[in-house]
Each structure stands twice: as C-alpha cells, then as structure tokens.
C-alpha cells in the first residue's frame, strides 16, 4: 500500500480523510492498512506472531498446536512452537465526556461523514479517540488478542466484554458509535467500575483529554498499578487547546459546566498555556512514575503514530510476559 | 480659567463616551466560544485577573483622558493670570491708524477707523485682569500716546471720542513709541505685544519710510491686520498755485490767476470732477469740470479772481472738488495778499534823471529803470540814502534793493535785519565802484544768509555768458519759456563771487559754473539756532524743491526743522544776491532784455515767496515770525480775517458757512484756539487744515494763514500684502492677521496658548502611552502568527514535539 500511486500511506490516517468515512469498519481498515504499510519503516517491527520451530509431540501437549499437515506428509507428530503465542487482554477506555466533543478542525462534507462532523462540522477529540480505538481493536483482534472496550464520562456509559471472536470488532464499533455526553469525567469512579470487572492482567488503553483534577488521575492510575495492570495513556487534545490561537476578546463557555468567562485571549494566552502545560507535565510525571506510557495526540494530526506506539507497547508487553 | 471655545471641551467630554460605548459593545456583540479546556482558562484568569483588569481599565482611562485633553486643548483655556501663570500679564499696545485714509468709508458706510475701533474693543474684551493696554495713533504717535495701563475704561472712552485726523500716518514714530512702551513694560515684568490696525493704503503706509528696528525679542508678538484690497476713488485738491502770491489788482502781471492742481488716487476709471473756487471778497466763480481719462492721475484747472482795484487785504481762497470716499482732501485753501502796489526802496546814492549817459548810470538807476517800464502803477519805487536808512524807513517797504551796501551804517543794518524779520525781500548787489568789499561781514551778520561773499572783485579775462538754467528757478518761474533766450546775450566781465551754502538756491550761474544770482532765506546761514531762520529750508536744492525742480514751499526739507520748512511764514525775509553789479562795467545785463523781467520777477515772486503764500502744514508747529505779536492761532471755523470774539476768550465763534475750512471735517463747530508759545510756535501741532486767524493778546486778528494737508496722506491706493509684510518685516517679525480675529490672536498670544500647548503635550504623552501600553497589553509580540509556535513550544515542549508528528513515550519500559 505504501506509496501506491504516489500517495503516502499516512495520508489515509489523516483526520481530514477519516472524517469523510462514516462506517467505522471502513475507517478502521483504512487506519490499519496505513499503519501496516508503514511498518517497514517503523522502529517497532517484529510485533507480529511468528513461527519459531517444530518439536516432537510429547504426551500432554495441547493438540491444537499439532501440525496436522506435517503429520500427513511425514506421518510424524510435530508441535508448532511460536515465539509469541500468548495473547493479551486489552481494554479500551475511551472518554466520552463533554470536553471530548470539542474540535476545531473543519471537516469537508463527504459521502458520509461522522456524526460529529455532521453535527458540528468539525473533527472532535472524541472522533479522533474512537478512530484510534477501533483501529487498535482491529489490529489486536488480528493478532488473536482479546479486546474489550468501554465508554466513560462520570460513569461507564457502555462496555463490551473482552473477546477475540470475529464479531468482537463489530461489537466494539457498534458501542463506540455514540456521542459524548454533557457530563464531566470521574476517573476514580470509572476506574473502580472497570477494575471490578477484570480479574487477570490487562493492558488498558485510556484515550482521553484527561481534563480532570490531577489528583484524581493519580489515584486512578495508582489503582491500576496496584492491580498490576499496564496502562497506556493517550491524551488527545485539539490543536486549538494546545496553541490557543484566539485573538479577539470573546466570552468563552466551558463544555463541562465550567461557566462563562469573558476573555481577552491575547492577554490570557500565556497564563493558559502555562496552566495547561503544567497539567500535562504532571500527567506525564504521574504516568512515568507508575511505569505507564503517556503519549499526547493532536487531533489535527494522523492517528498512525499513536496507533503504532500502542501496538509496539502491546508487543513489548506480550514478549515480556509469554515467551516460553 | 476661561475657555475661548468651550464647545470643544464639551465635545471632548462627550467623546469620552465613544471608547466606553465601543468597549461595552465589543463585549456584548461577541459570539460565545465553546471551549473544552476551560479549567485552565479559569485558572489563568484567576491568576491574572487583577493584572488584566488593570490593563483594560488603564487603557480605557488613557483613551478617555486623551479625548478630554484634545477637547480641552481645542477649547484654548486661559488660566487666570493672578498667581497661576507667573509673569503672564500682558502689556498690549494698539497702534491705531487714525490718519486721513482711516476716514475712508466702505460700502456699509463705516469708516476704516470704525472697523479698527471695533477690533480694538474686542481686544479690550479679551484682556484679563492684570493686563495692561496702551494705544498709539499713527497720526500723532508722540502726542496721542496712551501708555499701557490697566485702566481699560479710559481707553474705551478715548476710543469712543477718537475721530480720523487730516494727518498723514507716521508709522516710524508710532513704532518708536511702541518700542519704548514695550521696553518699559518688559522692565516692569509684563509681556508686551503690538497690534497694528491699519489698511496700509499708500497714504498711511509709505513704503519709502524707513521703519526703525524695534529690537524686541522674537517672543514679543507683533500682529498687523491685512492690508485693504478694495479700491477707493479719491480726488485730492493737491494745491492752489497763484501766479502772484501778492496781488496787485489791475496789474497785468498775472495777479489773480490761480491754478488748482488735482491728483487722483485709487480707482482710476473715467470720471468727472467738479471744481469750485471761492475767495473772500471776490465775486463767485463758475464751477469747472475736469474729465478724467482712464488712468489719468493729475489735472490742473485755472481760475481768475476778479479782485477789485484798490483792495488791500488778505484774501482767503478755497478750492473744492465733489465729495468722494475721502473727504479730508476734497478742499484746499491759500491766503493771497492784495495791495494797490508793491513798494520798493532802492538804497542807493546819486541823482536821477537823464543827464547821465548810459555807461555812467549806477546800479540804482538801472534798477529804477527796470522797475518802472510801464504805467500800470503796480510798483512804487522810492530811493533811500543808504547811509541814513533807519527802521522806520523800511516799515512799509516790501522790497529793498541795496546796490551800495558799503554805505550802510550799523543802524542801517539793524533796520535791514528788522525788515527781513517782517518778511521783506532784500536784493543786494556789490557796489560797482569798489574793488575791495569789507561790507560783506556786516551783511552776513544782518541777514545771516547761507552763503559767503568774497572780499575782492574778480575781473574775468573774458566776459562769461550766463548759462542756461538746468532747472527753472522758483523765482523766475514766470520766465521759464523765455529764460534761456533772454539769458543768452548776457555776459559778465566782473563779479564779486559768492560761495553758496547748502540752503542757497542758485538762480542763475555763469557758463563756468560761478553763481551769478543766488537766493536764501534770511537766517539760514546761522547754525546756532538762535535766529529765526537758523534752520530755514533750502531754496533751489533738490530736497527743497519739487520733482520738477521748482521750489515747493509746502514740501519739508530733509535735515531741517520740518515745522519751519513747511511754512512760508517761518521763512521770514528773503535775501537775493546778484554777484555782478548791474552796471555796464561789470556786465551788459542792464542793456539786455533780461534786465527788466529779471528785476520785476525778483521783486514780485520774491515778495510772493517771502510773504504772500503763507501756507502752513498740518501736523507741524511752525514759527510765526511774521506775527511777533501773535498769541493765539484760531481756526479754522471762519473764512477770512474777521473774527468775533466771545465772552471768556476761550473760543471764538466762526462765521461758518461754505468754505469755512479746507477740510469738511472741520467745517462745523466752534473754532479751536491754539496758543502760541514764547518760541513763536503753537504749543501743539496744528492738526486741522484750513484758514487760521492769528490773534494778538487782545484777541484781535493780526493776520491769517492757510494750513494745508499733507496730500501724500490721501493716497488711497491699496498695496500688495506681501510687499507691506516685507516692509514691516524690517522692524520686526510682524505676522498678518484678519482684523476680525485680532481678539483671537490676542488670546492665542496670551497664556491660553501656553496652556493649550501644555495640553497638547499631555495629549501626545497619552497617545504614546496608549500606543505602547496597548501594544504591550494586547500581547501582539507573543501573538504573532510566525512566533506563536515558538512561544507555545517554549511553554509546552512536549506538546510541540507531539504536534510535530512524533510520539514521546514516557513509560519507563518503552
């Protein structure tokens, strides 16, 4: 796929392109194809499940690993041994709070369009998060991982139990086909609810803007750590939030009931960016302190790099825990 | 504090609402912005709330203050001088043109002086308590000087009574007066300023006048109104020129003939002037018309006065033209003296009769024959013994001819001196029989003429002819047409040379340049000022003659006392010296045709110059030497010598009527009395033209004199504004203003301008502050598009890396 007809594969991953694709399936496949096509340049090569060697069958081996074709050809029983044969459990946690409905990237009217773009005409952070989530689910299912998902705000809005079935991806897509709610985020409550449904070790991929009290986030991540889960924090921000390129004085209205504030953006820009930067640094510091990954995503940029990052993280985690 | 234009301040205060309204509308009309990261915005707002609000209100306050300052500056506030602006008190000197041209009436019927007076009143209204004001009139700068004082009411009263004067403007003197007043005001801590109100017509601003350098610092405001631009038609009676100033009725010598000279100024379109002449005791003369061609500026109309034979009195003559825009110079007057005959005394020895041959006739005989060629009886000749002459012998003599000065005794010289003081004419020739002439000193002492006579006769090797006169002399004006031809055959073989002085008129000269016939006012040779004619004018020199080379008895002579120079009365007697004795041993003159007309004209014109003209000029203090008993100068409310004294003796009722004076402005009202001082001059300058009567101590009339205008003051031509400005610029940095804005100029020159300037500086500072603070508070530097990435990146380094397309894993196991 790479460089076919002179078009870079990453071009498929651009939000401008994804925003014109209404069906999640199509959007996810395009993301995956884009990611996979760029793998040969990716520093995260080798993440696929690879055949390692044959060995003689021994009583007690699981018959499902028996190579029946080799037995047919040579009449001998061999067991296929893989370098990575232990699948992961992955849970996507996607923030659907009101702040995720923010977006400033205009979306051109295409032959479908997302619900967000149809309503606001902009590519929102939630659009970006769900696009990333379904793409990750698609790839993970292709690697025989079990994956589940949940939408949350101040509560769990929907949840799809982990599974590696062929229908799982459509379930996840169906559950993510939703709109953000007019509510704030409550990470501690949501964390408790999610962890109550998980018994084994799971890789949690939390896609959110993390616009919440930093102490609440710290407490939430501490619980994940306590339960020995691994977490990847994908902080999704809109470029307008990152740069605050407003010029004219205007009343600003918060999406999570923060109220209304008359602001001279030029006068407040430095203070705002300072506060936002401090919050992001604290988030990264907490995540690093727990050994978690934290990446920041600009919703105006391609979803490819963060997807590749998560997959690399998944690969590293699987290799560490299941080589035998 | 006073506001000159309070509307501007009100507008400025109201304009303050503009930025406030804009500020409020700007807030109200903005569409709200939905924003997700509101928590960080609120955090920043909480942290920077005070600073942002301070910036916002500070900017709004600066903008409002700038508008108020602008309005206040435009309102031109004036602070009360007392204790607010030290040294801000002003000393305003108004230089007001009240000269002849100030009486010009405009289309609305008001005179230029009326308009200037209104401007001065506005100036007075604009003065602040503590300011001083003074007035200098251009016509009488020294006499009508109101030194700057705080008595504004006095100035108002004085203004109310001020009327145009028939005088010529004297701007140099007015400027000197202002400069003195300015220096005094400065020394007393006041800020002087001058406002020159004049139309600057040619009559009131002679661009040939040399203006003094005021020598004032540039900070002293000098303001002059714009010159007039509207044409004004003015016909001036420039003068009345009699053929004979001393009339002998019935004589065929031109007696009674006069020429009225007219000069036209301003509008030179084709027009007609009607000239009338009236003379006391003379039948009315029909009026005559002058048709002016376009561009014509001068004209002359001749009249003949039919004086009854036997008349012996002074005859006042007045000529008038139709009224025009300038009334002062519509008339002129002279005084002629009528008498039955001219009395000539020949102070010579020797017998009469025909027994002697022509070559043995003495000078006296030749003079006698020259004076009695006809039978009209106009000249009576008597012979006096020179060695025995006394004052009483010359009391009724008009002209004395002295061919034998060597015989005159000291008493005789005293008599001659007294004779000259009465206005007599003395004709002196050297005694023909002498070679050495010691009498010259005695003559010089008696007449004090402005010349020096040799002590020895000069015998010429070759007889020298008389040169054709370059300019026809005043004394021989009647011979102008024939003088060259008459003089041509005359030769001189011997003469007692004379060295003429600067005030001597050389009437005739020889071909080799030696003066032959000279004339001078008695006393003109004295330099100590003791004599009556110590500063008598020059006869025959350029500065005493008109442009045509003739003596103009009215024109002042530069370098001399203008008062004396302006008057024939001040001149007193006339002394004429013929360097060659009229005998055939000295010259062939007695036998040539020139002799008779020459002697006749010397007698008639000499007497006319010495006594008959009697013309004074306004604005002067002439010495009335012909009237030693004069105590009062009365006039000009009468026309003629008859006077009716009134009780109390302070005023004299005039006969009034037509022609009571030369100027219409002086035709009404009682006659003014002008006392004569011990120096034989009026105590004040004569400021009214016309016929004035000289009264003795008992108020009895002892003579009349005619006072004329300075006709140059009646020139109504407008002058180019730039030329006038350059001319004024020689004295200082004059700036032109409109007469109607004099008051505003006063305010602008006063403390108001300083305060307005201060407010403008404040405004400038506010604008600069607004610009700088507005730029700083708007955070444009940080907000520029090209710099934003860097600015944001410096705050969120990790974020900028992510937005660049990269992903930074912070996980410890990545």
């Amino acid at each position: 796929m790479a460089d076919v007809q002179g078009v870079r594969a990453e071009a498929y991953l651009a939000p401008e392109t994804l925003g014109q694709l209404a069906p999640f399936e199509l959007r996810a496949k395009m993301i995956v194809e884009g990611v996979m096509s760029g793998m040969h340049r990716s520093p995260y090569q080798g993440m696929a499940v690879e055949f390692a060697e044959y060995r003689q069958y021994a009583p007690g081996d699981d018959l499902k690993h028996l190579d029946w074709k080799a037995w047919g050809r040579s009449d001998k029983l061999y067991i296929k041994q893989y370098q990575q044969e232990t699948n992961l459990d992955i849970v996507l946690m996607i923030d659907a709070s009101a702040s995720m409905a923010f977006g400033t990237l205009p979306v051109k009217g295409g032959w479908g369009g997302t619900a967000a773009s149809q309503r606001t005409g902009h590519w929102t952070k939630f659009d970006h998060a769900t696009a990333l989530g379904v793409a990750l689910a698609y790839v993970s299912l292709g690697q025989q991982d079990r994956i589940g998902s949940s939408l949350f705000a101040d509560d769990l809005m929907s949840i799809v139990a982990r599974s590696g079935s062929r229908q799982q991806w459509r379930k996840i897509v169906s559950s993510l086909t939703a709109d953000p709610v007019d509510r704030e985020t409550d990470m501690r409550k949501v964390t408790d609810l999610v962890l109550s449904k998980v018994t084994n070790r799971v890789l949690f991929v939390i896609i959110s803007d993390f616009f919440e009290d930093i102490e609440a986030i710290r407490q939430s991540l501490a619980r994940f750590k306590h339960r020995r889960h691994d977490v990847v924090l994908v902080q999704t921000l809109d470029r307008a939030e990152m740069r605050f390129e407003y010029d004219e004085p205007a009343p600003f209205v918060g999406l999570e009931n923060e109220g209304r504030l008359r602001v001279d953006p030029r006068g407040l820009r430095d203070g705002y960016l300072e506060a936002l930067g401090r919050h992001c640094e604290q988030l990264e510091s907490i995540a690093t302190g727990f050994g978690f990954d934290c990446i920041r995503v600009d919703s105006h940029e391609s979803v490819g790099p963060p997807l590749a990052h998560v997959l690399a993280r998944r690969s590293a985690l699987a290799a560490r825990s299941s080589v035998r | 504090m006073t506001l000159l234009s309070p509307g501007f301040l009100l507008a400025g205060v109201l304009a303050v609402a503009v930025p406030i309204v804009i500020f409020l509308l700007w807030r109200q009309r903005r569409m709200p912005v939905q924003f997700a990261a509101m928590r960080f915005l609120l955090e920043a707002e909480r942290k920077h709330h005070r600073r942002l609000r301070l910036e916002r209100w500070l900017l709004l306050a600066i903008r409002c203050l700038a508008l108020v300052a602008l309005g206040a500056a435009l309102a031109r506030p004036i602070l009360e001088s007392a204790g607010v602006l030290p040294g801000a008190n002003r000393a305003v000197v108004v230089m007001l043109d009240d000269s002849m041209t100030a009486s010009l009436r405009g289309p609305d019927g008001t005179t230029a002086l009326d308009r200037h007076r209104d401007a001065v009143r506005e100036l007075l209204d604009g003065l602040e308590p503590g300011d001083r004001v003074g007035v200098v009139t251009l016509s009488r700068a020294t006499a009508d000087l109101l030194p700057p004082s705080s008595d504004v009411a006095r100035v108002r009263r004085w203004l109310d009574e001020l009327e145009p004067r028939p005088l010529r403007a004297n701007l140099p003197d007015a400027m000197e007066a202002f400069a003195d007043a300015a220096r005094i005001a400065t020394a007393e801590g006041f800020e002087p300023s001058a406002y020159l109100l004049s139309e600057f017509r040619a009559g009131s601003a002679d661009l040939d006048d040399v203006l003094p350098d005021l020598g004032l610092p540039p900070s002293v405001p000098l303001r002059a109104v714009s010159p007039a631009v509207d044409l004004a038609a003015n016909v001036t009676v420039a003068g009345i020129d009699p053929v004979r100033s001393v009339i002998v009725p019935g004589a065929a010598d031109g007696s009674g003939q006069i020429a009225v000279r007219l000069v036209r100024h301003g509008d030179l379109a084709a027009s007609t002037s009607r000239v009338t002449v009236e003379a006391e005791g003379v039948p009315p003369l029909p009026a005559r018309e002058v048709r002016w061609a376009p561009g014509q500026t001068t004209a002359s109309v001749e009249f003949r006065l039919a004086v009854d034979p036997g008349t012996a009195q002074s005859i006042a003559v007045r000529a008038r033209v139709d009224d025009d825009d300038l009334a002062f110079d519509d008339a002129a007057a002279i005084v002629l003296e009528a008498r039955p005959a001219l009395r000539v005394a020949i102070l010579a020895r020797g017998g009469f009769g025909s027994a002697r041959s022509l070559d043995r006739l003495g000078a006296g005989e030749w003079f006698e024959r020259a004076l009695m060629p006809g039978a009209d009886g106009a000249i009576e000749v008597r012979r006096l013994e020179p060695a025995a002459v006394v004052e009483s012998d010359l009391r009724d003599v008009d002209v004395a001819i002295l061919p034998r000065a060597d015989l005159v005794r000291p008493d005789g010289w005293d008599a001659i001196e007294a004779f000259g003081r009465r206005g007599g004419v003395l004709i002196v020739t050297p005694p023909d029989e002498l070679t050495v002439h010691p009498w010259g000193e005695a003559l010089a002492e008696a007449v004090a003429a402005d010349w020096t006579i040799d002590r020895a006769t000069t015998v010429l090797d070759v007889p020298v002819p008389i040169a054709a006169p370059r300019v026809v002399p005043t004394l021989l004006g009647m011979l102008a047409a024939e003088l060259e031809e008459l003089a041509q055959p005359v030769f001189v073989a011997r003469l007692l040379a004379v060295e003429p002085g600067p005030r001597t008129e050389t009437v005739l000269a020889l071909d080799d340049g030696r003066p032959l016939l000279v004339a001078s006012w008695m006393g003109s040779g004295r330099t100590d000022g003791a004599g009556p004619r110590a500063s008598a004018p020059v006869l025959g020199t350029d500065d005493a003659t008109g442009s045509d080379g003739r003596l103009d008895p009215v024109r002042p002579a530069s370098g001399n006392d203008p008062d004396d120079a302006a008057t024939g009365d001040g001149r007193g007697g006339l002394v004429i010296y013929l360097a060659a004795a009229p005998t055939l041993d000295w010259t062939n003159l007695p036998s040539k045709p020139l002799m008779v007309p020459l002697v006749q004209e010397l007698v008639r014109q000499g007497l006319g110059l010495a006594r008959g003209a009697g013309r004074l000029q306004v604005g002067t203090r002439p010495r009335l030497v012909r009237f030693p008993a004069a105590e009062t100068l009365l006039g000009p409310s009468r026309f003629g010598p008859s006077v009716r004294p009134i009780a109390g003796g302070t005023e004299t009722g005039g006969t009034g009527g037509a022609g009571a004076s030369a100027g219409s402005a002086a035709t009404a009202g009682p006659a003014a009395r002008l006392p004569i001082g011990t120096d034989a001059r009026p105590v004040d300058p004569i400021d009214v033209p016309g016929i004035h009567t000289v009264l003795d101590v008992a108020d009895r009339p002892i003579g009349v004199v005619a006072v004329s205008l300075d006709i140059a003051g009646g020139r109504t031509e407008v002058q180019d504004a730039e030329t006038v400005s350059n001319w004024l610029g020689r004295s200082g940095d004059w700036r032109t203003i409109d007469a109607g804005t004099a008051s505003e100029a006063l305010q602008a020159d006063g403390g108001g301008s300083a305060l307005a300037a201060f407010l403008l500086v404040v405004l400038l500072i506010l604008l600069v502050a607004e610009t700088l603070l507005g730029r700083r508070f708007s955070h444009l530097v940080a907000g520029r598009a090209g710099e934003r990435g860097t600015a944001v990146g410096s705050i969120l380094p990790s974020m900028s890396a992510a937005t660049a397309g990269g992903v930074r894993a912070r996980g410890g196991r990545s």
Side-chain angles (χ1 to χ4, degrees):
Chain A
M1 291 291 292
D3 297 324
V4 174
Q5 298 176 348
V7 179
R8 288 189 60 188
E10 287 81 354
Y12 289 101
L13 309 180
E16 293 89 340
T17 306
L18 298 177
Q20 299 179 55
L21 305 179
F24 259 135
E25 298 90 330
L26 189 57
R27 188 189 301 172
K29 288 178 181 177
M30 180 172 285
I31 294 171
V32 173
E33 287 172 356
V35 173
M36 298 306 291
S37 65
M39 284 302 159
H40 64 282
R41 293 191 300 274
S42 169
Y44 306 106
Q45 286 185 10
M47 58 89 180
V49 178
E50 295 178 355
F51 170 77
E53 59 183 351
Y54 286 104
R55 66 173 174 82
Q56 288 289 328
Y57 172 75
D61 286 342
D62 191 350
L63 291 179
K64 69 180 179 183
H65 296 298
L66 190 65
D67 189 347
W68 296 103
K69 291 181 180 179
W71 175 75
R73 288 195 301 269
S74 62
D75 200 21
K76 292 181 180 176
L77 296 175
Y78 291 99
I79 293 297
K80 288 191 288 189
Q81 196 167 35
Y82 298 90
Q83 184 177 22
Q84 178 183 337
E85 56 185 316
T86 303
N87 294 331
L88 289 178
D89 280 1
I90 299 175
V91 173
L92 296 173
M93 293 179 66
I94 297 178
D95 186 358
S97 65
S99 64
M100 292 296 284
F102 180 74
T104 58
L105 179 68
V107 175
K108 288 185 286 186
W111 49 264
T114 65
S117 67
Q118 288 173 350
R119 189 175 60 258
T120 67
H122 292 88
W123 179 260
T124 65
K125 292 188 286 186
F126 184 72
D127 289 332
H128 208 73
T130 53
L132 181 61
V134 295
L136 180 61
Y138 187 85
V139 174
S140 298
L141 288 171
Q143 295 180 358
Q144 310 306 315
D145 292 335
R146 295 198 312 157
I147 187 165
S149 69
S150 64
L151 283 178
F152 69 93
D154 57 349
D155 200 349
L156 281 177
M157 296 165 56
S158 67
I159 187 166
V160 176
R162 287 164 291 160
S163 171
S165 66
R166 291 181 178 275
Q167 293 77 26
Q168 181 67 4
W169 190 70
R170 289 197 175 277
K171 291 180 182 176
I172 291 175
V173 168
S174 177
S175 72
L176 297 182
T177 307
D179 284 340
V181 296
D182 278 339
R183 296 200 293 267
E184 303 176 16
T185 306
D186 188 347
M187 283 287 290
R188 281 176 295 201
K189 179 180 178 183
V190 171
T191 299
D192 290 341
L193 290 174
V194 169
L195 290 181
S196 66
K197 300 179 185 301
V198 176
T199 55
N200 57 336
R201 289 186 62 190
V202 171
L203 171 61
F204 286 94
V205 178
I206 305 175
I207 307 175
S208 170
D209 53 14
F210 295 100
F211 287 170
E212 198 183 6
D213 181 62
I214 196 68
E215 180 58 24
I217 295 173
R218 191 190 66 75
Q219 291 177 6
S220 297
L221 294 181
R223 290 174 190 175
F224 281 113
K225 182 67 178 177
H226 180 71
R227 300 283 293 269
R228 301 182 62 189
H229 296 298
D230 204 355
V231 179
V232 175
L233 287 77
V234 181
Q235 186 181 23
T236 304
L237 298 177
D238 189 84
R239 185 167 295 176
E241 295 169 331
M242 300 172 75
R243 299 190 178 181
F244 201 64
E245 293 178 334
Y246 295 93
D247 289 330
E248 301 299 334
F252 279 64
V253 180
L255 297 179
E256 294 184 349
N257 301 319
E258 292 96 338
R260 182 187 183 101
L261 178 66
R262 296 188 185 282
V263 173
D264 178 4
R266 291 175 179 173
L268 215 54
R269 176 179 292 115
D270 290 347
Y272 163 80
L273 291 178
E274 182 184 353
L276 177 61
R278 187 168 54 248
H279 178 80
C280 292
E281 286 180 355
Q282 287 176 341
L283 178 65
E284 289 175 3
S285 176
I286 292 171
T288 303
F290 287 125
F292 301 153
D293 278 359
C294 178
I295 60 175
R296 190 170 303 119
V297 175
D298 181 354
S299 65
H300 291 209
E301 296 288 343
S302 166
V303 299
L307 177 60
H309 180 90
V310 174
L311 292 177
R313 179 64 178 164
R314 176 258 171 208
S315 176
L317 190 63
R320 182 186 63 195
S321 61
S322 63
V323 172
R324 53 188 178 180
Chain B
M1 185 170 68
T2 303
L3 299 176
L4 296 181
S5 305
F8 282 107
L9 180 59
L10 181 62
V13 171
L14 293 178
V16 168
V18 174
I20 296 175
V21 169
I22 291 176
F23 177 76
L24 296 177
L25 289 179
W26 200 258
R27 292 165 58 113
Q28 294 295 331
R29 299 181 64 177
R30 282 285 163 185
M31 293 293 291
V33 176
Q34 303 280 336
F35 197 63
M38 197 64 183
R39 62 172 60 239
F40 307 110
L41 213 50
L42 289 169
E43 182 180 339
E45 167 71 12
R46 279 193 297 272
K47 187 173 181 181
H48 301 287
H49 174 72
R50 287 179 179 274
R51 178 178 62 84
L52 291 175
R53 192 168 65 173
L54 178 64
E55 289 176 354
R56 190 161 56 239
W57 286 109
L58 183 60
L59 269 183
L60 184 61
I62 287 176
R63 287 165 183 162
C64 294
L65 282 176
L67 287 170
V68 173
L70 177 62
L74 292 177
R76 293 181 299 166
I78 307 291
L79 283 181
E80 301 295 343
S81 56
V84 179
L85 289 179
N89 285 359
R90 295 165 294 186
V92 179
V93 177
V94 177
M95 302 165 70
L96 187 58
D97 186 359
D98 63 339
S99 64
M100 291 170 60
T101 54
S103 68
L104 272 175
R105 292 193 179 277
D108 57 352
T110 61
T111 65
L113 181 61
D114 291 336
R115 296 189 289 273
H116 294 157
R117 191 162 25 209
D118 291 342
V120 175
R121 289 189 180 114
E122 290 184 11
L123 274 176
L124 299 180
D125 292 340
L127 292 175
E128 298 293 334
D131 288 344
R132 290 183 174 181
V133 62
V135 182
V136 179
T137 61
L138 298 194
S139 65
R140 296 179 61 182
T142 53
D144 284 342
L145 168 64
L146 285 181
S149 75
S150 55
D151 190 356
V152 178
R154 177 183 172 221
V155 177
R156 291 187 190 277
R157 289 193 301 272
W158 185 85
L159 269 179
D160 293 339
E161 297 170 358
L162 184 64
E163 292 295 336
R165 289 195 173 91
L167 301 174
R168 182 183 177 192
N170 189 342
L171 191 53
D173 280 0
M175 284 194 171
E176 293 283 10
F178 160 67
D180 292 341
R183 277 187 280 273
I184 294 172
T186 302
E188 294 177 350
F190 287 81
E191 295 178 354
S193 59
Y195 293 85
L196 175 53
L197 303 172
S198 172
E199 290 200 323
F200 295 105
R201 297 182 183 271
S204 55
D206 188 347
L207 302 186
D208 291 331
D209 282 348
V210 178
L211 299 180
D213 183 359
L214 296 176
L216 299 172
S219 59
V220 176
L222 303 175
R223 305 287 179 258
V225 298
S226 306
V229 295
D230 54 319
L231 290 176
N234 181 37
V235 177
T236 300
V237 179
I240 303 173
D241 299 330
V243 174
R244 301 297 178 191
S245 296
V246 179
I247 298 174
V248 179
D253 61 350
S255 290
Q257 289 186 4
I258 60 171
V260 178
R261 283 185 287 117
L262 303 179
V263 179
R264 197 162 63 136
H265 304 286
D267 188 358
L268 300 181
S271 62
T272 301
S273 297
R274 182 169 168 271
V275 184
T276 58
V277 169
E278 46 194 336
E280 197 174 46
V282 174
L285 299 176
R288 299 189 62 179
E289 281 195 346
V290 175
R291 297 183 184 279
W292 298 96
Q296 182 182 357
T297 57
T298 60
S300 179
V301 186
E302 294 187 353
F303 290 85
R304 183 177 182 84
L305 305 176
V307 183
D308 289 338
T311 301
Q313 67 175 44
S314 295
I315 300 176
V317 181
R318 191 185 73 159
R320 287 190 60 91
V321 292
D322 303 326
D323 290 341
D324 54 21
D325 293 340
L326 186 63
F328 277 126
D329 57 0
D330 289 345
I334 60 170
V335 176
L336 302 179
E337 188 172 345
R339 57 182 58 193
L342 304 182
R343 295 177 291 271
V344 178
I346 301 175
L347 280 65
R349 199 176 275 179
F352 299 125
S354 56
R356 306 171 69 183
S357 61
L358 288 179
D359 59 344
R360 295 182 63 82
L361 288 179
E365 286 87 347
W366 284 113
F367 276 119
E368 189 174 8
R369 284 166 171 75
L371 288 172
M372 295 189 301
D376 60 358
I379 298 177
E380 293 178 1
V381 179
R382 73 178 70 164
R383 182 180 288 267
L384 296 176
E385 167 54 42
V389 69
V390 292
E391 188 172 351
S392 58
D393 295 336
L394 300 177
R395 186 160 296 160
D396 59 349
V397 172
D398 297 316
V399 179
I401 299 175
L402 182 59
R404 293 301 302 272
D406 57 314
L407 299 180
V408 177
R409 295 175 181 275
D411 290 348
W413 289 118
D414 292 342
I416 290 173
E417 182 179 359
F419 167 73
R421 210 159 30 225
R422 291 197 302 273
V425 178
L426 177 65
I427 302 174
V428 182
T429 65
D432 59 339
E433 297 174 357
L434 300 182
T435 303
V436 177
H437 301 269
W439 51 270
E441 292 181 1
L443 174 67
E445 186 174 346
V447 303
D450 182 38
W451 62 54
T452 305
I453 298 175
D454 276 0
R455 299 175 73 88
T457 304
T458 301
V459 179
L460 304 177
D461 298 337
V462 178
V464 179
I466 297 178
R470 182 175 54 86
V471 177
V472 177
T474 307
L475 283 168
L476 305 180
M478 292 293 290
L479 305 178
E482 302 163 334
L483 184 59
E484 184 175 355
E485 184 180 355
L486 291 171
Q488 193 174 11
V490 178
F491 289 83
V492 174
R494 190 183 299 181
L495 80 165
L496 182 63
V498 61
E499 182 67 30
R503 299 186 187 87
T504 298
E505 176 183 10
T506 299
V507 181
L508 290 174
L510 301 180
D511 254 0
D512 58 6
R514 298 182 211 220
L516 175 64
L517 182 65
V518 296
S520 175
W521 299 113
M522 292 185 186
S524 62
R526 291 179 183 162
T527 57
D528 57 359
R533 287 167 293 282
S535 53
V538 183
L539 264 172
T541 56
D542 288 344
D543 57 355
T545 57
S547 58
D548 56 357
R550 290 167 57 91
L551 174 65
D552 183 350
V554 177
R555 182 182 174 86
S558 61
N560 298 302
D561 184 345
D563 293 349
D564 287 344
T567 170
D569 290 282
R571 293 171 186 140
L574 182 67
V575 57
I576 301 169
Y577 175 68
L578 180 61
T583 63
L584 297 180
D585 293 337
W586 289 58
T587 174
N588 64 352
L589 172 64
S591 61
K592 296 301 178 185
L594 176 62
M595 181 65 179
V596 172
L598 175 65
V599 174
Q600 293 269 341
E601 287 304 306
L602 290 180
V603 169
R604 295 173 191 269
Q605 289 298 96
L607 186 59
L609 276 177
R611 303 182 60 182
R615 280 174 287 181
L616 314 181
Q617 186 168 311
V618 293
T620 64
R621 293 178 58 237
R623 192 191 305 269
L624 303 176
V625 293
R626 281 182 56 199
F627 307 103
E631 288 290 329
T632 305
L633 195 59
L634 176 69
S637 65
R638 59 176 301 282
F639 189 52
S642 59
V643 177
R644 179 174 56 84
I646 64 172
T650 55
E651 285 187 346
T652 301
T655 56
S661 73
S664 60
T667 55
R673 298 174 64 92
L674 193 57
I676 307 298
T678 55
D679 58 353
R681 301 175 187 271
V683 293
D684 290 323
I686 305 172
D687 57 4
V688 180
I691 305 298
H692 293 246
T693 304
V694 183
L695 306 178
D696 64 8
V697 67
D699 268 356
R700 289 175 302 207
I702 57 176
V704 292
V705 292
V707 178
S708 304
L709 286 169
D710 182 354
I711 60 170
R715 291 181 292 160
T716 57
E717 296 92 337
V718 295
Q719 304 194 91
D720 176 62
E722 185 176 354
T723 306
V724 172
S725 178
N726 292 337
W727 178 63
L728 290 174
R730 298 172 191 166
S731 62
D733 184 17
W734 290 89
R735 294 188 181 174
T736 303
I737 59 173
D738 290 332
T741 62
S743 179
E744 296 176 12
L746 170 68
Q747 304 303 347
D749 292 336
S753 63
L755 193 54
F758 171 74
L759 288 172
L760 288 175
V761 170
V762 170
L763 173 63
L764 182 64
I765 293 173
L766 288 173
L767 291 178
V768 171
E770 196 275 343
T771 303
L772 295 178
L773 293 179
R775 183 175 176 79
R776 176 176 177 79
F777 294 166
S778 67
H779 307 271
L780 280 177
V781 175
R784 283 179 186 161
E787 300 174 3
R788 276 178 182 157
T790 304
V792 173
S794 64
I795 298 171
L796 288 173
S798 58
M799 202 171 290
S800 56
T803 55
V807 177
R808 178 168 297 177
R810 294 298 179 96
R813 293 165 291 177
S814 321

